[in-house]
Amino acid sequence: ERFRHNRVLVFWLLASAGSLFPVCSTMAQDRLALLQTIGMAMVIAILVYQLVSGPSRGKNVPVVMLALIHLVLSPLHLLAGSAYINWGAANIRDNALALPDAELQGKNLLVLRAPIGEAVSLMGIREVLGRQNPGQFLWLANDESEILVAALGADELQVEKPAGFASGFESAFRSVARRPFRVGQVIDCGAAQITVARVNRQGHPDIIRLKLNRPDDWLVYTYSGHRFHKAALPQTGAVAEFR
């Protein structure tokens, strides 16, 4: 009864629950949990205080369970989560530094597919640590789903991804509802040009044509098994599958 009439507790409880609505409207990110965690931490603090200071000390099972979660299980989860994040960050750093400096000098880098963490941090990590960076870095897909590459000529590739490009995490950078892709649309990437060849029902390109200016200046890599691997493009008229 005293919990129900505690306006401060009710305020923080409703604030914590209400913050879930904007969080659920965007991509899931660990840091977004902070919005509801602040309110819930206040609720737990009030309940624990009531437990240790009130006349029904030790008898309120829900409050005891909340205290156990907050004071024991939550720190253990934080420790395990920190260890996992540290492992992931170290793996991303090691992968970025594994690309040999001598090969990248005077070259452009084409990565057919790689997780978003590895891709967006590769150039920055190498720059900060004084390693050789490619002249240009072109990254086509953010996951390890199947990709088919057909060589249409010495400087032109047709790349097919059945799951669709610009999907998943990539969709955070472009809304296909607001800015739909069109067949024949050309995306200028500097030393390369991408032409949208086909768009699937969800509005994502699933076949693109990639024209490489000065193809001998490009190194090609793909990603699997938590590592970057150097890839060989097919000869003209042939098709290579990457999975």
Side-chain angles (χ1 to χ4, degrees), residues 10-48:
V10 172
F11 168 80
W12 285 111
L13 183 61
L14 293 178
S16 178
S19 67
L20 290 172
F21 291 99
V23 169
C24 291
S25 67
T26 185
M27 290 195 308
Q29 296 285 342
D30 291 344
R31 60 180 174 273
L32 295 180
L34 182 63
L35 294 174
Q36 62 268 22
T37 298
I38 292 175
M40 190 54 64
M42 294 296 296
V43 171
I44 294 174
I46 293 171
L47 294 177
V48 171

Side-chain angles (χ1 to χ4, degrees), residues 136-149:
Q136 183 169 335
F137 171 47
L138 181 58
W139 162 53
L140 295 184
N142 76 325
D143 54 28
E144 296 180 52
S145 59
E146 178 187 27
I147 286 182
L148 299 175
V149 179

